[in-house]
């Protein structure tokens, strides 16, 4: 993950037993994805799996169906700003 990710996110992953590999902030998410592909290649066929968050059509669908309504409900429908970076 990019080194700009929060300490909380890193700690959550570590608590789940993950090895956290940080990539330079200058390369942002594309750099982290490249590193993930590199690690997957090093593991060899059948020894790893990449979930493909940005290529999985179910990802935005589940956010539309669950995250969006949750935010709307929790803010009583008064969402002032929204940012999307897909």
């Amino acid at each position: 993950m990019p080194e700009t990710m929060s300490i909380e996110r890193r700690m959550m992953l570590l608590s789940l037993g993950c090895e956290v590999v940080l990539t330079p902030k200058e390369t942002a998410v594309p750099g982290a994805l490249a590193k993930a592909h590199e690690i997957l290649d090093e593991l060899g066929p059948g020894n790893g799996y990449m979930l493909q968050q940005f290529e999985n059509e179910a990802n935005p669908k589940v956010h539309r169906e669950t995250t969006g309504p949750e935010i709307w409900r929790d803010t009583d429908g008064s969402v002032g700003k929204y940012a999307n970076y897909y």
Side-chain angles (χ1 to χ4, degrees), residues 21-80:
V21 177
L22 300 176
T23 56
K25 63 182 176 187
E26 294 80 16
T27 62
V29 172
L33 288 171
K35 182 64 177 177
H37 284 290
E38 180 184 315
I39 292 169
L40 196 58
D41 289 344
E42 289 172 3
L43 291 173
N47 294 314
Y49 183 76
M50 192 160 169
L51 297 176
Q52 300 296 346
Q53 170 187 357
F54 300 110
E55 297 176 19
N56 183 344
E57 293 179 13
N59 192 43
K61 180 178 184 285
V62 76
H63 285 298
R64 268 193 313 277
E65 294 175 357
T66 62
T67 311
E70 178 183 354
I71 292 169
W72 190 258
R73 182 182 62 248
D74 290 352
T75 62
D76 293 322
S78 60
V79 177

